[in-house]
Amino acid sequence: MKIERELLRGAGPIAVMSLLSRREMYGYELVEALSQRTGGVLAMGQSTLYPLLYNLEAKELIASEWREAKSGRERRYYKLTPKGRKRLAADSEQWRALAGAMNALGLGPEPAAFGARLQGALA
Amino acid sequence: MSAPRGSDEPAALPAALASLVEGVVKRTKLWRRERADVRRELVTHFADGLESGASASELQESFGDPKSAAKLIRRSKKRNRPLWWRATAGTIKAGAKAAGAVLALLFVGYAVMFVLYNTGKPNVTRNYVAEMRAEVDAIPMEDRAWPVYLRAIRLLDGEAWARADHEWVVAPTRDEAAAWLNAHAEGIATVRAAAAKPALGYKFSHRVDPELEMANGRSVEEEPIADDDPLNGVVVGVLLPYLRELKQMAQTLWIDARVAISGGDGDRFVSDVDAILGIADQVRAGGFLIGDLVSISLVSLASRTIDEALVESASALDDDALRRVAHRLNAYPSDGGPIIRLSGERTFFEDFLQRVYTDDSKGGGLPTAEGWRLASQLSSDPALPQPTIGERMLGPVTVLTFADRRAMREEYERLINLALAEHATPMWERGASRIDAELAAMRADPLKRMRFQIVHSMAPSLGAALQQADKLAARRSATNGAIAAELFRRRSGAWPDSWDDLAPDLIPAAPIDPFTGRPMGLRIVDDVPRIYSVGQDLDDDAGAWVFDDDGEVVNHRAGDWLPREEVERLRAESSHEMFDGDWVLFPPPPREPIAAPIEAEALPSSQ
C-alpha cells in the first residue's frame, strides 16, 4: 500500500529515528528495515531517505560517521543523538495518541492496519 | 559529516547505477566537498544493495526520481552548511524576496501611472488671450493710446529713435538733444496725447505686431492678427513689445522735460511729467508683474525729473506747476489699487494649470504627457511636437512626484497671498521677506522643488519686486517733501527747520522713513534740503551719501532692505557688506551738471 506523501512526511522521520534508537544503521540497511518492518507501508525510495537523513542531521537529531564495515568497505553509519531521543519520545507519544484516536473513530482493525503496523514499527 | 579520502567511485558500479549516481550528484549543484560526500554515500548505498542480492535495475527503480532526489538532497545538504553561510544566504534570500516584492509593486504602480499619464488629456477650457483681447475690444477706440503711440513712433523716426542710447537719450549732448526734440516736436506732442488716454488698448498676442514693425520701419511678413484667430496659445508666451517702446518714450519725455526746464518752459515740463506718469499707468495693462515693475521705474523717473528740476531750475516752475506735478505724482496709480497686483501672474498660472493637468471639474487633476512637455519647454507654441519615447517612459513618474492640480494651485495661491500681504505691510513692520524665504526654502528642498516645479518656475522674485514698490513709495513721498520745502521757501524766504514747518499746511504729514516708521530726516546741506532715510544700517548719519570703494555714490544700495536681525549681525561683525551712510532721497545723487541754470540768481537761497 502506498502512503500519501503528506502522511509519509510526518511518519518518515519518526520511523527512521525509531529504527536508529535501537542501534546505528547505514542507509541501505534503513531502507530495507523500513520496508520489511512496516510491511512496505513506509518503504521509501532512496531519493526520499537520504534527504530525510540529512535534514535530521541538520537538526542535530541524528549524527553520522564513516566507518569501515566487516566487508572491508566503508559505510556511513547514522545514530540517534540525545536530542533525537527526546524528540522521538515526544513524537511517539503523539503518534500513539493519534492512532488511538483513529481507532476510537472506528478506523480499525482492518482500516487501521496502517496504524497497527506503524505501532509495531515504533514499538 | 564529509566523506573520507579514498571513497569508492561510481566506476565500481554497473554503468546504469554509476550514471544514476553521477546524474543525481551533478544535479545537486552542491559544493565540491558536498557532492563528493553525496556521491560516496550513494555508491555505498548501491554497493550494499547489490551485495544484498538486488539487481541493478531493481535498485535503479527503487531509488525514485533522480531529479526530485537531487533537489531534495540539495535542499537538505544546504541545511547542514555553516551557520554564517545559512545566515547570509537567508538574508540574501529575504532581501531578494523583498526587492522582488518592491519591484513588483513599483511595476504595478508605474503601470498605473503610465496609463494615467499617457491617457490623461488637459482640458483647455479658457482662452485667456482671447479674453484679454476682448477686454481691449470693449475700450472705445478714442480711449485707446496704442494706435496713437504707433503714430508717434512713426513721427519719431521709428527704429533709429528706439535704438538711441545716449547721455541725453536721443543725442550725446544737451544741445543736440534740444535740436532733435525741436525737429520732432510733433512726435513728442503725439506721445503726450497718447499718454493722456485712459487705456493702453494694446491687443495682446503671441505674434509680432505687424503695425509696430511697420511703424519702426521694419519689413513685415506677418498679416495683422485677426480677432477670430483660433489660436489659444499659452498666456506666458504673449508678447509685450509695448513695454520697451513706452519706456523709450518716457525717457524721451524725461529729456524733453530737462531741456524744457533748463529753458524756463515750466508748462512743457509739467506736460512731460504728466505724460511720463500717464505712460506709467498704461503699462500696468494686463496686471503683469513685469508691467508693474516697468511702471514703477517710470514713476521713479518722473520723481527724479521733478527732483532735478527743483535743484537745477526750480524758478522755472511756479507754485501752481509744483502743485500740479505733486498731485499728479500722488494720483498714481490711477486705478487706486496696490502698486503690485500679481493678477497677471495668476492668469499665467491658471492658464498653465489647464494646459498641464487633467481636469476632474472639482479642482483636481493629474499631470499629463503633453502638459509636462509644455512645462519643461515653457513654450508659447500651441502646436507642440509629440513627446519622445524617453519622455513617455519617464514622464509617468510625475504623477507621483508632482503635486496634483489642486495642491499646486493651493501652494501658488498661498505664496501669492503671502506676497500681497507683505506688500500691504509697511517695511518697518515687516522684517525679512517671508515670501523670499519661502521660495528659497523651496529651492533648497529638492523634493518640494520637484513637487511644486510649476510654482517654482512661475513664482518670480516677489520679495525683490515688492521692495521696488516700497522704494518708489519712499522716493515719491520725499519728492512731495521737497516740493513742500520749495513752496515754504518761497513763502517764508527760508528753508524749513523741520517737517513741522510743512505739515499739515503744505503736506498732510512728514514723509515716513520706510526703515524706521519715523519721519524721514530733513537737513539743509549746502543750501539745499536733504531728505533721507536712515537706510539699511538704521543709523542716522545726518544725510551722508553712501560711497563704494571707488568713491562712487551708491545711494540706491543704502535703500536695499535688510532684516533687523541681519543688521544686528553685520554690525556685530563690523561688516563692510552693510553700507554706512543714509539713503538720500532728495536731492538726486551728484553727477555731471545737466546744464547751466538759466536763472542762477534765482536758485534757492540759504535759510
Short mmCIF file of all heavy atoms in Angstrom, two decimals, chain A residues 5 26-29 31-32 44-55 57-59 64-66 71 73-76 78, chain B residues 1-4 8 37-38 40-42 44-45 47-49 51-52 54 59 62-65 69 72-73 76-77 79-80:
data_model
loop_
_atom_site.label_atom_id
_atom_site.label_comp_id
_atom_site.label_asym_id
_atom_site.label_seq_id
_atom_site.Cartn_x
_atom_site.Cartn_y
_atom_site.Cartn_z
N ARG A 5 2.03 11.21 0.29
CA ARG A 5 3.28 11.90 0.60
C ARG A 5 3.18 12.72 1.91
O ARG A 5 4.10 12.73 2.72
CB ARG A 5 3.63 12.83 -0.56
CG ARG A 5 4.88 13.64 -0.34
CD ARG A 5 5.01 14.65 -1.45
NE ARG A 5 5.39 13.99 -2.67
CZ ARG A 5 6.60 14.08 -3.22
NH1 ARG A 5 7.52 14.81 -2.62
NH2 ARG A 5 6.90 13.48 -4.32
N TYR A 26 23.20 1.98 8.57
CA TYR A 26 23.61 2.72 7.37
C TYR A 26 22.42 2.82 6.42
O TYR A 26 21.37 2.21 6.64
CB TYR A 26 24.82 2.07 6.71
CG TYR A 26 24.67 0.61 6.36
CD1 TYR A 26 24.20 0.21 5.11
CD2 TYR A 26 25.02 -0.38 7.28
CE1 TYR A 26 24.07 -1.11 4.79
CE2 TYR A 26 24.88 -1.73 6.96
CZ TYR A 26 24.41 -2.10 5.72
OH TYR A 26 24.25 -3.40 5.38
N GLY A 27 22.57 3.56 5.38
CA GLY A 27 21.45 3.94 4.53
C GLY A 27 20.65 2.78 3.99
O GLY A 27 19.42 2.71 4.15
N TYR A 28 21.33 1.85 3.29
CA TYR A 28 20.60 0.76 2.65
C TYR A 28 19.91 -0.10 3.69
O TYR A 28 18.80 -0.58 3.49
CB TYR A 28 21.57 -0.08 1.80
CG TYR A 28 20.84 -1.08 0.95
CD1 TYR A 28 20.24 -0.67 -0.25
CD2 TYR A 28 20.71 -2.41 1.34
CE1 TYR A 28 19.54 -1.56 -1.03
CE2 TYR A 28 20.00 -3.32 0.57
CZ TYR A 28 19.42 -2.89 -0.62
OH TYR A 28 18.70 -3.76 -1.39
N GLU A 29 20.58 -0.21 4.82
CA GLU A 29 20.02 -1.01 5.91
C GLU A 29 18.72 -0.38 6.41
O GLU A 29 17.74 -1.07 6.69
CB GLU A 29 21.06 -1.05 7.06
CG GLU A 29 20.76 -2.04 8.15
CD GLU A 29 21.85 -2.03 9.23
OE1 GLU A 29 22.66 -1.07 9.26
OE2 GLU A 29 21.89 -2.98 10.02
N VAL A 31 16.69 1.47 4.60
CA VAL A 31 15.68 1.28 3.55
C VAL A 31 15.04 -0.10 3.70
O VAL A 31 13.81 -0.24 3.68
CB VAL A 31 16.33 1.42 2.16
CG1 VAL A 31 15.35 1.00 1.06
CG2 VAL A 31 16.78 2.85 1.93
N GLU A 32 15.91 -1.06 3.87
CA GLU A 32 15.43 -2.43 3.99
C GLU A 32 14.56 -2.60 5.24
O GLU A 32 13.49 -3.20 5.20
CB GLU A 32 16.62 -3.38 4.06
CG GLU A 32 17.34 -3.55 2.72
CD GLU A 32 16.49 -4.29 1.69
OE1 GLU A 32 16.32 -5.52 1.82
OE2 GLU A 32 15.96 -3.59 0.79
N MET A 44 10.39 3.63 1.57
CA MET A 44 10.64 4.90 0.86
C MET A 44 11.85 4.75 -0.04
O MET A 44 12.81 4.06 0.28
CB MET A 44 10.83 6.04 1.86
CG MET A 44 11.97 5.89 2.84
SD MET A 44 12.15 7.35 3.87
CE MET A 44 10.82 7.13 5.01
N GLY A 45 11.74 5.41 -1.16
CA GLY A 45 12.85 5.38 -2.10
C GLY A 45 14.05 6.10 -1.50
O GLY A 45 13.91 6.93 -0.60
N GLN A 46 15.21 5.73 -2.03
CA GLN A 46 16.41 6.37 -1.52
C GLN A 46 16.39 7.88 -1.76
O GLN A 46 17.01 8.65 -1.03
CB GLN A 46 17.66 5.77 -2.18
CG GLN A 46 17.86 4.30 -1.85
CD GLN A 46 17.12 3.35 -2.79
OE1 GLN A 46 16.04 3.69 -3.30
NE2 GLN A 46 17.68 2.17 -3.02
N SER A 47 15.68 8.24 -2.82
CA SER A 47 15.59 9.66 -3.12
C SER A 47 14.88 10.40 -2.00
O SER A 47 15.00 11.61 -1.87
CB SER A 47 14.83 9.88 -4.43
OG SER A 47 13.50 9.41 -4.30
N THR A 48 14.12 9.69 -1.17
CA THR A 48 13.45 10.31 -0.03
C THR A 48 14.26 10.12 1.24
O THR A 48 14.34 11.01 2.07
CB THR A 48 12.06 9.69 0.16
OG1 THR A 48 11.36 9.75 -1.07
CG2 THR A 48 11.26 10.43 1.23
N LEU A 49 14.86 8.96 1.36
CA LEU A 49 15.55 8.63 2.61
C LEU A 49 16.74 9.55 2.88
O LEU A 49 16.87 10.10 3.98
CB LEU A 49 16.04 7.18 2.58
CG LEU A 49 16.89 6.80 3.80
CD1 LEU A 49 16.02 6.71 5.05
CD2 LEU A 49 17.64 5.51 3.59
N TYR A 50 17.61 9.69 1.90
CA TYR A 50 18.83 10.45 2.18
C TYR A 50 18.56 11.92 2.50
O TYR A 50 19.13 12.45 3.47
CB TYR A 50 19.85 10.27 1.04
CG TYR A 50 20.44 8.88 1.09
CD1 TYR A 50 20.09 7.91 0.17
CD2 TYR A 50 21.33 8.54 2.11
CE1 TYR A 50 20.60 6.63 0.24
CE2 TYR A 50 21.85 7.25 2.20
CZ TYR A 50 21.49 6.30 1.27
OH TYR A 50 22.00 5.05 1.36
N PRO A 51 17.68 12.60 1.77
CA PRO A 51 17.35 13.97 2.19
C PRO A 51 16.79 13.98 3.60
O PRO A 51 17.08 14.90 4.39
CB PRO A 51 16.30 14.41 1.18
CG PRO A 51 16.61 13.63 -0.05
CD PRO A 51 17.08 12.29 0.46
N LEU A 52 15.98 12.96 3.93
CA LEU A 52 15.40 12.89 5.29
C LEU A 52 16.52 12.78 6.32
O LEU A 52 16.51 13.47 7.35
CB LEU A 52 14.47 11.68 5.37
CG LEU A 52 13.59 11.50 6.60
CD1 LEU A 52 12.35 10.69 6.22
CD2 LEU A 52 14.32 10.82 7.72
N LEU A 53 17.50 11.92 6.03
CA LEU A 53 18.63 11.76 6.96
C LEU A 53 19.42 13.06 7.10
O LEU A 53 19.80 13.47 8.21
CB LEU A 53 19.55 10.64 6.47
CG LEU A 53 18.98 9.21 6.58
CD1 LEU A 53 19.88 8.21 5.83
CD2 LEU A 53 18.85 8.79 8.05
N TYR A 54 19.66 13.71 5.96
CA TYR A 54 20.44 14.96 6.01
C TYR A 54 19.70 16.04 6.80
O TYR A 54 20.30 16.83 7.53
CB TYR A 54 20.73 15.48 4.60
CG TYR A 54 21.55 14.52 3.75
CD1 TYR A 54 21.44 14.52 2.36
CD2 TYR A 54 22.44 13.62 4.33
CE1 TYR A 54 22.18 13.66 1.58
CE2 TYR A 54 23.18 12.74 3.56
CZ TYR A 54 23.05 12.75 2.18
OH TYR A 54 23.77 11.89 1.41
N ASN A 55 18.39 16.03 6.68
CA ASN A 55 17.60 17.02 7.43
C ASN A 55 17.67 16.75 8.93
O ASN A 55 17.83 17.68 9.73
CB ASN A 55 16.14 16.99 6.99
CG ASN A 55 15.91 17.79 5.72
OD1 ASN A 55 16.64 18.75 5.45
ND2 ASN A 55 14.94 17.39 4.92
N GLU A 57 20.00 15.27 10.44
CA GLU A 57 21.36 15.58 10.86
C GLU A 57 21.53 17.10 11.05
O GLU A 57 22.18 17.54 12.00
CB GLU A 57 22.35 15.08 9.80
CG GLU A 57 23.76 15.01 10.32
CD GLU A 57 24.71 14.32 9.34
OE1 GLU A 57 24.36 14.25 8.13
OE2 GLU A 57 25.77 13.87 9.76
N ALA A 58 20.91 17.87 10.11
CA ALA A 58 21.00 19.32 10.23
C ALA A 58 20.35 19.80 11.52
O ALA A 58 20.78 20.78 12.13
CB ALA A 58 20.32 19.98 9.03
N LYS A 59 19.32 19.07 11.96
CA LYS A 59 18.62 19.44 13.21
C LYS A 59 19.31 18.84 14.44
O LYS A 59 18.81 18.99 15.56
CB LYS A 59 17.17 18.96 13.16
CG LYS A 59 16.33 19.69 12.13
CD LYS A 59 14.94 19.07 12.05
CE LYS A 59 14.13 19.70 10.94
NZ LYS A 59 12.87 18.96 10.67
N SER A 64 26.21 11.19 12.08
CA SER A 64 26.71 10.14 11.18
C SER A 64 28.22 10.02 11.29
O SER A 64 28.90 10.95 11.73
CB SER A 64 26.31 10.47 9.73
OG SER A 64 26.98 11.63 9.30
N GLU A 65 28.70 8.88 10.82
CA GLU A 65 30.14 8.64 10.88
C GLU A 65 30.51 7.63 9.79
O GLU A 65 29.83 6.61 9.62
CB GLU A 65 30.50 8.08 12.26
CG GLU A 65 31.99 7.86 12.46
CD GLU A 65 32.29 7.21 13.81
OE1 GLU A 65 31.36 6.63 14.41
OE2 GLU A 65 33.43 7.27 14.23
N TRP A 66 31.56 7.91 9.06
CA TRP A 66 32.07 6.96 8.07
C TRP A 66 32.98 5.98 8.79
O TRP A 66 33.89 6.39 9.51
CB TRP A 66 32.86 7.69 6.97
CG TRP A 66 31.98 8.40 5.97
CD1 TRP A 66 31.59 9.67 6.01
CD2 TRP A 66 31.41 7.82 4.81
NE1 TRP A 66 30.78 9.98 4.95
CE2 TRP A 66 30.65 8.84 4.18
CE3 TRP A 66 31.42 6.54 4.23
CZ2 TRP A 66 29.94 8.63 3.01
CZ3 TRP A 66 30.71 6.36 3.05
CH2 TRP A 66 29.97 7.40 2.46
N SER A 71 32.88 -6.01 5.81
CA SER A 71 33.17 -6.38 4.42
C SER A 71 34.42 -5.68 3.90
O SER A 71 34.91 -5.98 2.82
CB SER A 71 31.98 -6.00 3.53
OG SER A 71 31.81 -4.59 3.55
N ARG A 73 34.46 -2.58 3.14
CA ARG A 73 34.07 -1.31 2.52
C ARG A 73 33.69 -0.31 3.61
O ARG A 73 33.32 -0.70 4.71
CB ARG A 73 32.87 -1.52 1.59
CG ARG A 73 33.24 -2.25 0.32
CD ARG A 73 32.16 -2.13 -0.74
NE ARG A 73 30.93 -2.80 -0.30
CZ ARG A 73 29.86 -2.12 0.10
NH1 ARG A 73 29.88 -0.79 0.17
NH2 ARG A 73 28.78 -2.76 0.47
N GLU A 74 33.77 0.94 3.26
CA GLU A 74 33.37 1.98 4.21
C GLU A 74 31.90 2.30 4.04
O GLU A 74 31.38 2.30 2.91
CB GLU A 74 34.22 3.23 4.00
CG GLU A 74 35.65 3.03 4.50
CD GLU A 74 36.41 4.35 4.55
OE1 GLU A 74 36.11 5.23 3.71
OE2 GLU A 74 37.29 4.49 5.40
N ARG A 75 31.24 2.54 5.15
CA ARG A 75 29.82 2.91 5.12
C ARG A 75 29.61 4.10 6.06
O ARG A 75 30.37 4.29 7.01
CB ARG A 75 28.94 1.75 5.61
CG ARG A 75 28.82 0.60 4.67
CD ARG A 75 27.70 -0.31 5.17
NE ARG A 75 27.55 -1.47 4.31
CZ ARG A 75 27.82 -2.72 4.70
NH1 ARG A 75 28.24 -2.97 5.92
NH2 ARG A 75 27.63 -3.73 3.87
N ARG A 76 28.54 4.75 5.79
CA ARG A 76 28.20 5.87 6.68
C ARG A 76 27.13 5.39 7.64
O ARG A 76 26.03 5.03 7.21
CB ARG A 76 27.69 7.04 5.86
CG ARG A 76 27.50 8.30 6.67
CD ARG A 76 27.01 9.41 5.78
NE ARG A 76 27.42 10.70 6.26
CZ ARG A 76 27.25 11.81 5.61
NH1 ARG A 76 26.69 11.78 4.41
NH2 ARG A 76 27.65 12.95 6.10
N TYR A 78 24.51 5.95 10.78
CA TYR A 78 23.74 7.00 11.46
C TYR A 78 23.31 6.51 12.83
O TYR A 78 22.98 5.34 12.99
CB TYR A 78 22.49 7.36 10.64
CG TYR A 78 22.82 8.01 9.31
CD1 TYR A 78 23.00 7.25 8.17
CD2 TYR A 78 22.95 9.40 9.23
CE1 TYR A 78 23.31 7.84 6.96
CE2 TYR A 78 23.27 10.00 8.02
CZ TYR A 78 23.45 9.22 6.89
OH TYR A 78 23.76 9.81 5.70
N MET B 1 28.53 15.15 8.04
CA MET B 1 29.96 14.77 8.10
C MET B 1 30.44 14.48 6.69
O MET B 1 29.75 13.86 5.90
CB MET B 1 30.09 13.52 8.97
CG MET B 1 31.49 13.01 9.04
SD MET B 1 31.56 11.52 10.02
CE MET B 1 33.30 11.21 9.89
N SER B 2 31.63 14.95 6.34
CA SER B 2 32.11 14.78 4.96
C SER B 2 32.78 13.43 4.77
O SER B 2 33.19 12.78 5.73
CB SER B 2 33.10 15.89 4.64
OG SER B 2 34.18 15.83 5.53
N ALA B 3 32.84 13.01 3.48
CA ALA B 3 33.40 11.69 3.15
C ALA B 3 34.91 11.69 3.29
O ALA B 3 35.58 12.65 2.96
CB ALA B 3 33.03 11.33 1.72
N PRO B 4 35.45 10.57 3.82
CA PRO B 4 36.91 10.48 3.92
C PRO B 4 37.53 10.26 2.54
O PRO B 4 36.86 9.91 1.60
CB PRO B 4 37.09 9.27 4.83
CG PRO B 4 35.89 8.43 4.58
CD PRO B 4 34.78 9.37 4.33
N ASP B 8 34.80 5.03 -2.42
CA ASP B 8 34.51 4.28 -3.63
C ASP B 8 34.08 5.20 -4.74
O ASP B 8 33.45 6.21 -4.49
CB ASP B 8 33.40 3.27 -3.35
CG ASP B 8 33.90 2.18 -2.42
OD1 ASP B 8 35.14 2.11 -2.19
OD2 ASP B 8 33.05 1.44 -1.90
N ASP B 37 30.67 13.88 -0.95
CA ASP B 37 30.04 13.17 0.17
C ASP B 37 28.79 12.43 -0.29
O ASP B 37 28.58 11.24 0.03
CB ASP B 37 29.69 14.21 1.24
CG ASP B 37 29.27 13.55 2.54
OD1 ASP B 37 29.91 12.56 2.92
OD2 ASP B 37 28.31 14.03 3.16
N VAL B 38 27.97 13.14 -1.08
CA VAL B 38 26.73 12.52 -1.58
C VAL B 38 27.07 11.35 -2.51
O VAL B 38 26.48 10.27 -2.44
CB VAL B 38 25.85 13.56 -2.31
CG1 VAL B 38 24.66 12.89 -2.99
CG2 VAL B 38 25.37 14.62 -1.32
N ARG B 40 29.68 9.51 -2.63
CA ARG B 40 30.22 8.37 -1.88
C ARG B 40 29.10 7.59 -1.18
O ARG B 40 29.08 6.36 -1.19
CB ARG B 40 31.22 8.87 -0.84
CG ARG B 40 31.84 7.75 -0.01
CD ARG B 40 33.08 8.23 0.68
NE ARG B 40 33.63 7.22 1.54
CZ ARG B 40 34.24 6.10 1.13
NH1 ARG B 40 34.37 5.88 -0.16
NH2 ARG B 40 34.72 5.23 1.98
N GLU B 41 28.18 8.35 -0.60
CA GLU B 41 27.10 7.69 0.13
C GLU B 41 26.21 6.88 -0.82
O GLU B 41 25.78 5.76 -0.51
CB GLU B 41 26.26 8.70 0.88
CG GLU B 41 25.12 8.06 1.66
CD GLU B 41 24.87 8.71 3.00
OE1 GLU B 41 25.01 9.93 3.07
OE2 GLU B 41 24.56 7.98 3.97
N LEU B 42 25.92 7.47 -2.01
CA LEU B 42 25.06 6.76 -2.97
C LEU B 42 25.77 5.53 -3.53
O LEU B 42 25.15 4.46 -3.73
CB LEU B 42 24.63 7.70 -4.10
CG LEU B 42 23.70 8.84 -3.68
CD1 LEU B 42 23.34 9.72 -4.88
CD2 LEU B 42 22.42 8.29 -3.03
N THR B 44 28.01 3.78 -2.03
CA THR B 44 27.98 2.80 -0.94
C THR B 44 26.61 2.15 -0.85
O THR B 44 26.46 0.93 -0.68
CB THR B 44 28.31 3.49 0.39
OG1 THR B 44 29.54 4.16 0.26
CG2 THR B 44 28.38 2.49 1.52
N HIS B 45 25.59 3.01 -1.01
CA HIS B 45 24.22 2.52 -0.93
C HIS B 45 23.96 1.44 -1.99
O HIS B 45 23.45 0.35 -1.68
CB HIS B 45 23.26 3.70 -1.12
CG HIS B 45 21.83 3.29 -1.25
ND1 HIS B 45 21.00 3.12 -0.16
CD2 HIS B 45 21.08 2.98 -2.35
CE1 HIS B 45 19.81 2.74 -0.57
NE2 HIS B 45 19.83 2.65 -1.91
N ALA B 47 26.15 -0.23 -3.69
CA ALA B 47 27.02 -1.38 -3.47
C ALA B 47 26.42 -2.32 -2.42
O ALA B 47 26.43 -3.55 -2.57
CB ALA B 47 28.41 -0.89 -3.03
N ASP B 48 25.84 -1.72 -1.38
CA ASP B 48 25.16 -2.51 -0.35
C ASP B 48 23.98 -3.25 -0.94
O ASP B 48 23.71 -4.41 -0.61
CB ASP B 48 24.69 -1.61 0.79
CG ASP B 48 25.83 -1.16 1.68
OD1 ASP B 48 26.87 -1.86 1.71
OD2 ASP B 48 25.71 -0.10 2.33
N GLY B 49 23.27 -2.55 -1.82
CA GLY B 49 22.10 -3.17 -2.45
C GLY B 49 22.50 -4.35 -3.31
O GLY B 49 21.88 -5.43 -3.25
N GLU B 51 25.13 -6.08 -3.03
CA GLU B 51 25.68 -7.11 -2.14
C GLU B 51 24.57 -7.93 -1.51
O GLU B 51 24.72 -9.12 -1.26
CB GLU B 51 26.50 -6.42 -1.04
CG GLU B 51 27.55 -7.29 -0.40
CD GLU B 51 28.43 -6.46 0.51
OE1 GLU B 51 28.05 -6.27 1.69
OE2 GLU B 51 29.49 -5.98 0.04
N SER B 52 23.43 -7.25 -1.30
CA SER B 52 22.31 -7.98 -0.68
C SER B 52 21.51 -8.81 -1.68
O SER B 52 20.53 -9.43 -1.32
CB SER B 52 21.38 -6.99 0.02
OG SER B 52 20.71 -6.22 -0.95
N ALA B 54 20.11 -7.60 -4.66
CA ALA B 54 19.21 -6.86 -5.56
C ALA B 54 19.91 -6.62 -6.88
O ALA B 54 21.14 -6.47 -6.93
CB ALA B 54 18.83 -5.53 -4.94
N LEU B 59 17.40 -1.77 -8.07
CA LEU B 59 17.90 -0.64 -7.27
C LEU B 59 17.61 0.70 -7.95
O LEU B 59 17.25 1.69 -7.30
CB LEU B 59 19.42 -0.79 -7.06
CG LEU B 59 19.83 -1.93 -6.12
CD1 LEU B 59 21.35 -2.13 -6.16
CD2 LEU B 59 19.37 -1.63 -4.69
N SER B 62 13.92 1.41 -7.48
CA SER B 62 13.52 1.76 -6.12
C SER B 62 14.12 3.10 -5.66
O SER B 62 13.73 3.64 -4.63
CB SER B 62 13.93 0.65 -5.14
OG SER B 62 15.33 0.55 -5.10
N PHE B 63 15.08 3.58 -6.39
CA PHE B 63 15.73 4.85 -5.99
C PHE B 63 14.76 6.02 -6.06
O PHE B 63 14.76 6.92 -5.25
CB PHE B 63 16.96 5.11 -6.87
CG PHE B 63 17.70 6.35 -6.47
CD1 PHE B 63 18.55 6.34 -5.36
CD2 PHE B 63 17.54 7.54 -7.16
CE1 PHE B 63 19.23 7.49 -4.98
CE2 PHE B 63 18.22 8.68 -6.77
CZ PHE B 63 19.07 8.66 -5.67
N GLY B 64 13.90 5.98 -7.04
CA GLY B 64 12.96 7.10 -7.22
C GLY B 64 13.43 8.03 -8.32
O GLY B 64 14.40 7.76 -9.03
N ASP B 65 12.75 9.15 -8.41
CA ASP B 65 13.04 10.12 -9.48
C ASP B 65 14.36 10.85 -9.21
O ASP B 65 14.51 11.51 -8.17
CB ASP B 65 11.89 11.13 -9.56
CG ASP B 65 12.16 12.18 -10.61
OD1 ASP B 65 12.73 11.84 -11.65
OD2 ASP B 65 11.82 13.37 -10.37
N ALA B 69 15.18 13.69 -6.39
CA ALA B 69 16.19 13.28 -5.41
C ALA B 69 17.27 14.35 -5.30
O ALA B 69 17.65 14.77 -4.19
CB ALA B 69 16.81 11.95 -5.84
N LEU B 72 15.90 17.41 -3.50
CA LEU B 72 15.72 17.22 -2.06
C LEU B 72 17.07 17.14 -1.35
O LEU B 72 17.25 17.67 -0.25
CB LEU B 72 14.89 15.96 -1.78
CG LEU B 72 13.43 16.04 -2.21
CD1 LEU B 72 12.77 14.66 -2.10
CD2 LEU B 72 12.68 17.03 -1.33
N ILE B 73 18.00 16.43 -2.00
CA ILE B 73 19.34 16.30 -1.41
C ILE B 73 20.00 17.67 -1.30
O ILE B 73 20.60 18.02 -0.28
CB ILE B 73 20.21 15.32 -2.24
CG1 ILE B 73 19.70 13.89 -2.03
CG2 ILE B 73 21.68 15.43 -1.86
CD1 ILE B 73 20.33 12.86 -2.96
N SER B 76 18.41 19.61 1.57
CA SER B 76 18.75 19.12 2.91
C SER B 76 20.23 19.31 3.22
O SER B 76 20.61 19.61 4.36
CB SER B 76 18.37 17.64 3.04
OG SER B 76 19.02 16.89 2.03
N LYS B 77 21.08 19.15 2.20
CA LYS B 77 22.52 19.34 2.43
C LYS B 77 22.83 20.79 2.79
O LYS B 77 23.72 21.06 3.61
CB LYS B 77 23.30 18.94 1.17
CG LYS B 77 23.70 17.49 1.15
CD LYS B 77 24.76 17.24 2.20
CE LYS B 77 25.27 15.81 2.14
NZ LYS B 77 26.17 15.53 3.27
N ARG B 79 21.08 22.68 4.44
CA ARG B 79 20.73 22.93 5.85
C ARG B 79 21.86 22.52 6.78
O ARG B 79 21.87 22.88 7.95
CB ARG B 79 19.46 22.16 6.22
CG ARG B 79 18.23 22.74 5.55
CD ARG B 79 16.97 22.01 5.98
NE ARG B 79 15.82 22.55 5.26
CZ ARG B 79 14.92 21.83 4.62
NH1 ARG B 79 15.00 20.51 4.63
NH2 ARG B 79 13.92 22.39 3.99
N ASN B 80 22.79 21.72 6.26
CA ASN B 80 23.94 21.30 7.07
C ASN B 80 25.14 22.23 6.91
O ASN B 80 26.19 21.98 7.49
CB ASN B 80 24.36 19.89 6.69
CG ASN B 80 23.42 18.85 7.27
OD1 ASN B 80 23.52 18.51 8.44
ND2 ASN B 80 22.47 18.39 6.47
#
